[in-house]
Amino acid sequence: MAVTGWLESLLAAEKTALLQDGRRKVHYLFLDGKEMAEEYDEKTGELLVRKWRVKSALGALGQWQLEVGEPVLPGAGNLGPELIKESNANPIFMRKDTKTSFQWRIRNLPYPKDVYSVCVAQKERCIIVRTTNKKYYKKFSIPDLDRYQLPLEDSSLSFTYANCTLIISYQKPKEIMVAESELQKELKKVKTAHSSDGDCKTQ
């Protein structure tokens, strides 16, 4: 029932779409005033960016909060080379989904593969990442499962490590796969504007 409820909210939201730079950008305005913006790869249909914005109690628009996609370092354009290098040395956490899995990448983790532990915390409805050398700890939820009110399953979780990057994958439940397919059918009906920037060609 919860799956249907969230899907109905998506379908009922006011949607506008824009094709720009090889990305299909979709903006949702929900009945409660919340906004969601998504960007899909035009060719593969994979979700590249999802972010949210809500109004304050006084009705002012807040900042966009990134849920999926690569974070932009605040003020990175104004930093000197030394500060940028220092920022890049810190662990960077980002979510980048595939068609069949929710996926997170934590870059700049230089520790051996066997020190990492990734597990599901059922009571807290989150995933916990820790190292046996106590150098890194991270706890994060899967908002999609919360919105659809689906349980977290240990068997759906896996991880791998290579090139100082920990890649954590959680297999999407079939209920979400079906709902995403229904949403994509609906999005194809949304009239898409074309940005002139996206149509530029170079020799």
PDB file of all heavy atoms in Angstrom, residues 45-80:
ATOM      1  N   GLY A  45      19.004   6.343 -19.626  1.00  0.00           N
ATOM      2  CA  GLY A  45      17.877   6.467 -18.709  1.00  0.00           C
ATOM      3  C   GLY A  45      18.263   6.356 -17.247  1.00  0.00           C
ATOM      4  O   GLY A  45      17.395   6.382 -16.359  1.00  0.00           O
ATOM      5  N   GLU A  46      19.570   6.245 -16.949  1.00  0.00           N
ATOM      6  CA  GLU A  46      19.998   6.114 -15.558  1.00  0.00           C
ATOM      7  C   GLU A  46      19.865   7.439 -14.814  1.00  0.00           C
ATOM      8  O   GLU A  46      20.111   8.512 -15.363  1.00  0.00           O
ATOM      9  CB  GLU A  46      21.453   5.619 -15.482  1.00  0.00           C
ATOM     10  CG  GLU A  46      21.603   4.159 -15.839  1.00  0.00           C
ATOM     11  CD  GLU A  46      22.972   3.610 -15.457  1.00  0.00           C
ATOM     12  OE1 GLU A  46      23.756   4.352 -14.854  1.00  0.00           O
ATOM     13  OE2 GLU A  46      23.241   2.446 -15.766  1.00  0.00           O
ATOM     14  N   LEU A  47      19.481   7.335 -13.546  1.00  0.00           N
ATOM     15  CA  LEU A  47      19.356   8.510 -12.691  1.00  0.00           C
ATOM     16  C   LEU A  47      20.740   9.033 -12.323  1.00  0.00           C
ATOM     17  O   LEU A  47      21.572   8.299 -11.783  1.00  0.00           O
ATOM     18  CB  LEU A  47      18.578   8.156 -11.419  1.00  0.00           C
ATOM     19  CG  LEU A  47      18.418   9.268 -10.388  1.00  0.00           C
ATOM     20  CD1 LEU A  47      17.545  10.399 -10.934  1.00  0.00           C
ATOM     21  CD2 LEU A  47      17.823   8.709  -9.098  1.00  0.00           C
ATOM     22  N   LEU A  48      21.016  10.304 -12.612  1.00  0.00           N
ATOM     23  CA  LEU A  48      22.312  10.910 -12.325  1.00  0.00           C
ATOM     24  C   LEU A  48      22.262  11.833 -11.106  1.00  0.00           C
ATOM     25  O   LEU A  48      23.224  11.913 -10.344  1.00  0.00           O
ATOM     26  CB  LEU A  48      22.801  11.707 -13.542  1.00  0.00           C
ATOM     27  CG  LEU A  48      22.938  10.932 -14.852  1.00  0.00           C
ATOM     28  CD1 LEU A  48      23.301  11.872 -15.985  1.00  0.00           C
ATOM     29  CD2 LEU A  48      23.970   9.815 -14.714  1.00  0.00           C
ATOM     30  N   VAL A  49      21.146  12.536 -10.952  1.00  0.00           N
ATOM     31  CA  VAL A  49      21.012  13.509  -9.865  1.00  0.00           C
ATOM     32  C   VAL A  49      19.589  13.479  -9.325  1.00  0.00           C
ATOM     33  O   VAL A  49      18.629  13.342 -10.085  1.00  0.00           O
ATOM     34  CB  VAL A  49      21.325  14.949 -10.351  1.00  0.00           C
ATOM     35  CG1 VAL A  49      21.032  15.982  -9.249  1.00  0.00           C
ATOM     36  CG2 VAL A  49      22.762  15.074 -10.809  1.00  0.00           C
ATOM     37  N   ARG A  50      19.463  13.551  -7.999  1.00  0.00           N
ATOM     38  CA  ARG A  50      18.165  13.812  -7.365  1.00  0.00           C
ATOM     39  C   ARG A  50      18.416  14.756  -6.190  1.00  0.00           C
ATOM     40  O   ARG A  50      19.293  14.504  -5.364  1.00  0.00           O
ATOM     41  CB  ARG A  50      17.510  12.536  -6.875  1.00  0.00           C
ATOM     42  CG  ARG A  50      16.152  12.825  -6.159  1.00  0.00           C
ATOM     43  CD  ARG A  50      15.570  11.589  -5.510  1.00  0.00           C
ATOM     44  NE  ARG A  50      15.123  10.633  -6.510  1.00  0.00           N
ATOM     45  CZ  ARG A  50      15.276   9.317  -6.383  1.00  0.00           C
ATOM     46  NH1 ARG A  50      15.910   8.824  -5.336  1.00  0.00           N
ATOM     47  NH2 ARG A  50      14.834   8.508  -7.323  1.00  0.00           N
ATOM     48  N   LYS A  51      17.657  15.826  -6.145  1.00  0.00           N
ATOM     49  CA  LYS A  51      17.794  16.758  -5.030  1.00  0.00           C
ATOM     50  C   LYS A  51      16.424  17.289  -4.638  1.00  0.00           C
ATOM     51  O   LYS A  51      15.480  17.266  -5.421  1.00  0.00           O
ATOM     52  CB  LYS A  51      18.749  17.905  -5.392  1.00  0.00           C
ATOM     53  CG  LYS A  51      18.444  18.633  -6.675  1.00  0.00           C
ATOM     54  CD  LYS A  51      19.559  19.596  -7.033  1.00  0.00           C
ATOM     55  CE  LYS A  51      19.270  20.289  -8.373  1.00  0.00           C
ATOM     56  NZ  LYS A  51      20.364  21.236  -8.740  1.00  0.00           N
ATOM     57  N   TRP A  52      16.348  17.773  -3.391  1.00  0.00           N
ATOM     58  CA  TRP A  52      15.090  18.211  -2.797  1.00  0.00           C
ATOM     59  C   TRP A  52      15.201  19.648  -2.298  1.00  0.00           C
ATOM     60  O   TRP A  52      16.264  20.093  -1.877  1.00  0.00           O
ATOM     61  CB  TRP A  52      14.737  17.317  -1.609  1.00  0.00           C
ATOM     62  CG  TRP A  52      14.351  15.921  -1.979  1.00  0.00           C
ATOM     63  CD1 TRP A  52      15.197  14.865  -2.189  1.00  0.00           C
ATOM     64  CD2 TRP A  52      13.035  15.417  -2.179  1.00  0.00           C
ATOM     65  NE1 TRP A  52      14.496  13.737  -2.503  1.00  0.00           N
ATOM     66  CE2 TRP A  52      13.156  14.047  -2.508  1.00  0.00           C
ATOM     67  CE3 TRP A  52      11.764  15.984  -2.106  1.00  0.00           C
ATOM     68  CZ2 TRP A  52      12.051  13.244  -2.760  1.00  0.00           C
ATOM     69  CZ3 TRP A  52      10.665  15.183  -2.362  1.00  0.00           C
ATOM     70  CH2 TRP A  52      10.812  13.823  -2.675  1.00  0.00           C
ATOM     71  N   ARG A  53      14.052  20.333  -2.312  1.00  0.00           N
ATOM     72  CA  ARG A  53      13.993  21.662  -1.712  1.00  0.00           C
ATOM     73  C   ARG A  53      12.627  21.829  -1.054  1.00  0.00           C
ATOM     74  O   ARG A  53      11.597  21.501  -1.637  1.00  0.00           O
ATOM     75  CB  ARG A  53      14.203  22.749  -2.770  1.00  0.00           C
ATOM     76  CG  ARG A  53      14.222  24.159  -2.188  1.00  0.00           C
ATOM     77  CD  ARG A  53      14.772  25.168  -3.182  1.00  0.00           C
ATOM     78  NE  ARG A  53      13.903  25.361  -4.332  1.00  0.00           N
ATOM     79  CZ  ARG A  53      14.127  26.269  -5.281  1.00  0.00           C
ATOM     80  NH1 ARG A  53      15.221  27.022  -5.230  1.00  0.00           N
ATOM     81  NH2 ARG A  53      13.295  26.400  -6.301  1.00  0.00           N
ATOM     82  N   VAL A  54      12.638  22.329   0.178  1.00  0.00           N
ATOM     83  CA  VAL A  54      11.388  22.555   0.906  1.00  0.00           C
ATOM     84  C   VAL A  54      11.339  24.005   1.361  1.00  0.00           C
ATOM     85  O   VAL A  54      12.377  24.669   1.509  1.00  0.00           O
ATOM     86  CB  VAL A  54      11.271  21.618   2.136  1.00  0.00           C
ATOM     87  CG1 VAL A  54      11.250  20.168   1.697  1.00  0.00           C
ATOM     88  CG2 VAL A  54      12.413  21.854   3.117  1.00  0.00           C
ATOM     89  N   LYS A  55      10.141  24.496   1.583  1.00  0.00           N
ATOM     90  CA  LYS A  55       9.962  25.856   2.071  1.00  0.00           C
ATOM     91  C   LYS A  55      10.059  25.883   3.589  1.00  0.00           C
ATOM     92  O   LYS A  55       9.690  24.931   4.269  1.00  0.00           O
ATOM     93  CB  LYS A  55       8.602  26.401   1.619  1.00  0.00           C
ATOM     94  CG  LYS A  55       8.506  26.685   0.133  1.00  0.00           C
ATOM     95  CD  LYS A  55       7.160  27.306  -0.214  1.00  0.00           C
ATOM     96  CE  LYS A  55       7.084  27.636  -1.709  1.00  0.00           C
ATOM     97  NZ  LYS A  55       5.784  28.246  -2.077  1.00  0.00           N
ATOM     98  N   SER A  56      10.558  27.009   4.112  1.00  0.00           N
ATOM     99  CA  SER A  56      10.638  27.174   5.560  1.00  0.00           C
ATOM    100  C   SER A  56       9.239  27.462   6.110  1.00  0.00           C
ATOM    101  O   SER A  56       8.270  27.615   5.359  1.00  0.00           O
ATOM    102  CB  SER A  56      11.580  28.331   5.900  1.00  0.00           C
ATOM    103  OG  SER A  56      11.002  29.567   5.502  1.00  0.00           O
ATOM    104  N   ALA A  57       9.152  27.555   7.434  1.00  0.00           N
ATOM    105  CA  ALA A  57       7.865  27.845   8.063  1.00  0.00           C
ATOM    106  C   ALA A  57       7.312  29.198   7.616  1.00  0.00           C
ATOM    107  O   ALA A  57       6.092  29.422   7.624  1.00  0.00           O
ATOM    108  CB  ALA A  57       8.019  27.813   9.580  1.00  0.00           C
ATOM    109  N   LEU A  58       8.199  30.095   7.211  1.00  0.00           N
ATOM    110  CA  LEU A  58       7.783  31.417   6.755  1.00  0.00           C
ATOM    111  C   LEU A  58       7.540  31.468   5.249  1.00  0.00           C
ATOM    112  O   LEU A  58       7.237  32.530   4.702  1.00  0.00           O
ATOM    113  CB  LEU A  58       8.841  32.466   7.147  1.00  0.00           C
ATOM    114  CG  LEU A  58       9.115  32.612   8.656  1.00  0.00           C
ATOM    115  CD1 LEU A  58      10.224  33.614   8.904  1.00  0.00           C
ATOM    116  CD2 LEU A  58       7.838  33.041   9.378  1.00  0.00           C
ATOM    117  N   GLY A  59       7.706  30.328   4.587  1.00  0.00           N
ATOM    118  CA  GLY A  59       7.431  30.271   3.162  1.00  0.00           C
ATOM    119  C   GLY A  59       8.618  30.551   2.265  1.00  0.00           C
ATOM    120  O   GLY A  59       8.477  30.569   1.040  1.00  0.00           O
ATOM    121  N   ALA A  60       9.796  30.766   2.855  1.00  0.00           N
ATOM    122  CA  ALA A  60      10.990  31.033   2.048  1.00  0.00           C
ATOM    123  C   ALA A  60      11.550  29.722   1.499  1.00  0.00           C
ATOM    124  O   ALA A  60      11.499  28.682   2.162  1.00  0.00           O
ATOM    125  CB  ALA A  60      12.047  31.747   2.878  1.00  0.00           C
ATOM    126  N   LEU A  61      12.102  29.785   0.288  1.00  0.00           N
ATOM    127  CA  LEU A  61      12.688  28.594  -0.313  1.00  0.00           C
ATOM    128  C   LEU A  61      14.019  28.275   0.347  1.00  0.00           C
ATOM    129  O   LEU A  61      14.865  29.152   0.524  1.00  0.00           O
ATOM    130  CB  LEU A  61      12.892  28.800  -1.815  1.00  0.00           C
ATOM    131  CG  LEU A  61      11.623  28.791  -2.672  1.00  0.00           C
ATOM    132  CD1 LEU A  61      11.954  29.170  -4.100  1.00  0.00           C
ATOM    133  CD2 LEU A  61      10.956  27.421  -2.634  1.00  0.00           C
ATOM    134  N   GLY A  62      14.219  27.011   0.684  1.00  0.00           N
ATOM    135  CA  GLY A  62      15.476  26.598   1.282  1.00  0.00           C
ATOM    136  C   GLY A  62      16.496  26.220   0.225  1.00  0.00           C
ATOM    137  O   GLY A  62      16.261  26.353  -0.975  1.00  0.00           O
ATOM    138  N   GLN A  63      17.646  25.736   0.665  1.00  0.00           N
ATOM    139  CA  GLN A  63      18.691  25.293  -0.244  1.00  0.00           C
ATOM    140  C   GLN A  63      18.353  23.896  -0.766  1.00  0.00           C
ATOM    141  O   GLN A  63      17.692  23.102  -0.097  1.00  0.00           O
ATOM    142  CB  GLN A  63      20.049  25.254   0.482  1.00  0.00           C
ATOM    143  CG  GLN A  63      20.535  26.613   0.953  1.00  0.00           C
ATOM    144  CD  GLN A  63      20.916  27.522  -0.199  1.00  0.00           C
ATOM    145  OE1 GLN A  63      21.503  27.078  -1.181  1.00  0.00           O
ATOM    146  NE2 GLN A  63      20.573  28.797  -0.087  1.00  0.00           N
ATOM    147  N   TRP A  64      18.824  23.603  -1.966  1.00  0.00           N
ATOM    148  CA  TRP A  64      18.642  22.259  -2.505  1.00  0.00           C
ATOM    149  C   TRP A  64      19.492  21.279  -1.713  1.00  0.00           C
ATOM    150  O   TRP A  64      20.671  21.545  -1.430  1.00  0.00           O
ATOM    151  CB  TRP A  64      19.060  22.218  -3.974  1.00  0.00           C
ATOM    152  CG  TRP A  64      18.064  22.846  -4.905  1.00  0.00           C
ATOM    153  CD1 TRP A  64      18.129  24.086  -5.467  1.00  0.00           C
ATOM    154  CD2 TRP A  64      16.850  22.253  -5.384  1.00  0.00           C
ATOM    155  NE1 TRP A  64      17.030  24.308  -6.259  1.00  0.00           N
ATOM    156  CE2 TRP A  64      16.226  23.200  -6.242  1.00  0.00           C
ATOM    157  CE3 TRP A  64      16.224  21.019  -5.189  1.00  0.00           C
ATOM    158  CZ2 TRP A  64      15.023  22.944  -6.887  1.00  0.00           C
ATOM    159  CZ3 TRP A  64      15.023  20.771  -5.825  1.00  0.00           C
ATOM    160  CH2 TRP A  64      14.429  21.726  -6.664  1.00  0.00           C
ATOM    161  N   GLN A  65      18.919  20.143  -1.358  1.00  0.00           N
ATOM    162  CA  GLN A  65      19.624  19.085  -0.629  1.00  0.00           C
ATOM    163  C   GLN A  65      19.827  17.901  -1.563  1.00  0.00           C
ATOM    164  O   GLN A  65      18.860  17.317  -2.056  1.00  0.00           O
ATOM    165  CB  GLN A  65      18.823  18.670   0.613  1.00  0.00           C
ATOM    166  CG  GLN A  65      18.563  19.794   1.598  1.00  0.00           C
ATOM    167  CD  GLN A  65      19.837  20.332   2.211  1.00  0.00           C
ATOM    168  OE1 GLN A  65      20.760  19.574   2.522  1.00  0.00           O
ATOM    169  NE2 GLN A  65      19.905  21.651   2.383  1.00  0.00           N
ATOM    170  N   LEU A  66      21.095  17.545  -1.782  1.00  0.00           N
ATOM    171  CA  LEU A  66      21.423  16.481  -2.729  1.00  0.00           C
ATOM    172  C   LEU A  66      21.166  15.104  -2.125  1.00  0.00           C
ATOM    173  O   LEU A  66      21.596  14.822  -1.009  1.00  0.00           O
ATOM    174  CB  LEU A  66      22.893  16.607  -3.145  1.00  0.00           C
ATOM    175  CG  LEU A  66      23.367  15.715  -4.293  1.00  0.00           C
ATOM    176  CD1 LEU A  66      22.735  16.166  -5.607  1.00  0.00           C
ATOM    177  CD2 LEU A  66      24.888  15.766  -4.403  1.00  0.00           C
ATOM    178  N   GLU A  67      20.469  14.245  -2.861  1.00  0.00           N
ATOM    179  CA  GLU A  67      20.235  12.864  -2.434  1.00  0.00           C
ATOM    180  C   GLU A  67      21.029  11.885  -3.290  1.00  0.00           C
ATOM    181  O   GLU A  67      21.600  10.920  -2.791  1.00  0.00           O
ATOM    182  CB  GLU A  67      18.746  12.532  -2.510  1.00  0.00           C
ATOM    183  CG  GLU A  67      18.403  11.116  -2.069  1.00  0.00           C
ATOM    184  CD  GLU A  67      16.908  10.831  -2.130  1.00  0.00           C
ATOM    185  OE1 GLU A  67      16.122  11.629  -1.594  1.00  0.00           O
ATOM    186  OE2 GLU A  67      16.535   9.802  -2.717  1.00  0.00           O
ATOM    187  N   VAL A  68      21.044  12.128  -4.602  1.00  0.00           N
ATOM    188  CA  VAL A  68      21.778  11.279  -5.540  1.00  0.00           C
ATOM    189  C   VAL A  68      22.644  12.179  -6.416  1.00  0.00           C
ATOM    190  O   VAL A  68      22.197  13.232  -6.866  1.00  0.00           O
ATOM    191  CB  VAL A  68      20.819  10.463  -6.438  1.00  0.00           C
ATOM    192  CG1 VAL A  68      21.607   9.627  -7.444  1.00  0.00           C
ATOM    193  CG2 VAL A  68      19.914   9.576  -5.595  1.00  0.00           C
ATOM    194  N   GLY A  69      23.892  11.747  -6.653  1.00  0.00           N
ATOM    195  CA  GLY A  69      24.779  12.530  -7.509  1.00  0.00           C
ATOM    196  C   GLY A  69      26.048  12.932  -6.780  1.00  0.00           C
ATOM    197  O   GLY A  69      26.191  12.726  -5.571  1.00  0.00           O
ATOM    198  N   GLU A  70      26.959  13.500  -7.530  1.00  0.00           N
ATOM    199  CA  GLU A  70      28.258  13.865  -6.974  1.00  0.00           C
ATOM    200  C   GLU A  70      28.195  15.223  -6.310  1.00  0.00           C
ATOM    201  O   GLU A  70      27.786  16.210  -6.921  1.00  0.00           O
ATOM    202  CB  GLU A  70      29.325  13.881  -8.079  1.00  0.00           C
ATOM    203  CG  GLU A  70      30.719  14.075  -7.540  1.00  0.00           C
ATOM    204  CD  GLU A  70      31.777  13.518  -8.484  1.00  0.00           C
ATOM    205  OE1 GLU A  70      31.408  13.065  -9.592  1.00  0.00           O
ATOM    206  OE2 GLU A  70      32.956  13.539  -8.121  1.00  0.00           O
ATOM    207  N   PRO A  71      28.582  15.316  -5.035  1.00  0.00           N
ATOM    208  CA  PRO A  71      28.523  16.598  -4.337  1.00  0.00           C
ATOM    209  C   PRO A  71      29.568  17.570  -4.869  1.00  0.00           C
ATOM    210  O   PRO A  71      30.651  17.177  -5.293  1.00  0.00           O
ATOM    211  CB  PRO A  71      28.819  16.219  -2.876  1.00  0.00           C
ATOM    212  CG  PRO A  71      29.629  14.964  -2.979  1.00  0.00           C
ATOM    213  CD  PRO A  71      29.110  14.235  -4.179  1.00  0.00           C
ATOM    214  N   VAL A  72      29.217  18.844  -4.837  1.00  0.00           N
ATOM    215  CA  VAL A  72      30.148  19.895  -5.225  1.00  0.00           C
ATOM    216  C   VAL A  72      30.765  20.464  -3.954  1.00  0.00           C
ATOM    217  O   VAL A  72      30.048  20.845  -3.030  1.00  0.00           O
ATOM    218  CB  VAL A  72      29.431  21.007  -6.010  1.00  0.00           C
ATOM    219  CG1 VAL A  72      30.412  22.122  -6.364  1.00  0.00           C
ATOM    220  CG2 VAL A  72      28.791  20.444  -7.270  1.00  0.00           C
ATOM    221  N   LEU A  73      32.081  20.495  -3.902  1.00  0.00           N
ATOM    222  CA  LEU A  73      32.738  21.044  -2.724  1.00  0.00           C
ATOM    223  C   LEU A  73      32.370  22.511  -2.577  1.00  0.00           C
ATOM    224  O   LEU A  73      32.507  23.281  -3.523  1.00  0.00           O
ATOM    225  CB  LEU A  73      34.262  20.911  -2.846  1.00  0.00           C
ATOM    226  CG  LEU A  73      34.816  19.492  -2.790  1.00  0.00           C
ATOM    227  CD1 LEU A  73      36.307  19.492  -3.061  1.00  0.00           C
ATOM    228  CD2 LEU A  73      34.541  18.859  -1.436  1.00  0.00           C
ATOM    229  N   PRO A  74      31.866  22.930  -1.410  1.00  0.00           N
ATOM    230  CA  PRO A  74      31.446  24.325  -1.237  1.00  0.00           C
ATOM    231  C   PRO A  74      32.599  25.287  -1.449  1.00  0.00           C
ATOM    232  O   PRO A  74      33.652  25.173  -0.829  1.00  0.00           O
ATOM    233  CB  PRO A  74      30.945  24.364   0.216  1.00  0.00           C
ATOM    234  CG  PRO A  74      31.589  23.192   0.888  1.00  0.00           C
ATOM    235  CD  PRO A  74      31.719  22.141  -0.174  1.00  0.00           C
ATOM    236  N   GLY A  75      32.399  26.237  -2.365  1.00  0.00           N
ATOM    237  CA  GLY A  75      33.415  27.251  -2.605  1.00  0.00           C
ATOM    238  C   GLY A  75      34.664  26.730  -3.271  1.00  0.00           C
ATOM    239  O   GLY A  75      35.712  27.368  -3.251  1.00  0.00           O
ATOM    240  N   ALA A  76      34.584  25.545  -3.889  1.00  0.00           N
ATOM    241  CA  ALA A  76      35.785  24.952  -4.480  1.00  0.00           C
ATOM    242  C   ALA A  76      36.395  25.855  -5.543  1.00  0.00           C
ATOM    243  O   ALA A  76      37.609  25.891  -5.734  1.00  0.00           O
ATOM    244  CB  ALA A  76      35.443  23.588  -5.095  1.00  0.00           C
ATOM    245  N   GLY A  77      35.528  26.612  -6.219  1.00  0.00           N
ATOM    246  CA  GLY A  77      36.043  27.480  -7.277  1.00  0.00           C
ATOM    247  C   GLY A  77      36.888  28.617  -6.756  1.00  0.00           C
ATOM    248  O   GLY A  77      37.654  29.227  -7.495  1.00  0.00           O
ATOM    249  N   ASN A  78      36.746  28.921  -5.451  1.00  0.00           N
ATOM    250  CA  ASN A  78      37.492  30.032  -4.877  1.00  0.00           C
ATOM    251  C   ASN A  78      38.698  29.584  -4.063  1.00  0.00           C
ATOM    252  O   ASN A  78      39.403  30.404  -3.501  1.00  0.00           O
ATOM    253  CB  ASN A  78      36.558  30.861  -3.967  1.00  0.00           C
ATOM    254  CG  ASN A  78      35.371  31.411  -4.738  1.00  0.00           C
ATOM    255  OD1 ASN A  78      35.511  31.824  -5.874  1.00  0.00           O
ATOM    256  ND2 ASN A  78      34.199  31.406  -4.109  1.00  0.00           N
ATOM    257  N   LEU A  79      38.914  28.281  -3.981  1.00  0.00           N
ATOM    258  CA  LEU A  79      40.017  27.780  -3.180  1.00  0.00           C
ATOM    259  C   LEU A  79      41.315  27.774  -3.976  1.00  0.00           C
ATOM    260  O   LEU A  79      41.312  27.606  -5.190  1.00  0.00           O
ATOM    261  CB  LEU A  79      39.726  26.350  -2.707  1.00  0.00           C
ATOM    262  CG  LEU A  79      38.536  26.163  -1.761  1.00  0.00           C
ATOM    263  CD1 LEU A  79      38.353  24.688  -1.460  1.00  0.00           C
ATOM    264  CD2 LEU A  79      38.723  26.938  -0.474  1.00  0.00           C
ATOM    265  N   GLY A  80      42.414  27.927  -3.250  1.00  0.00           N
ATOM    266  CA  GLY A  80      43.715  27.817  -3.882  1.00  0.00           C
ATOM    267  C   GLY A  80      44.052  26.358  -4.102  1.00  0.00           C
ATOM    268  O   GLY A  80      43.405  25.463  -3.548  1.00  0.00           O
TER     269      GLY A  80
END
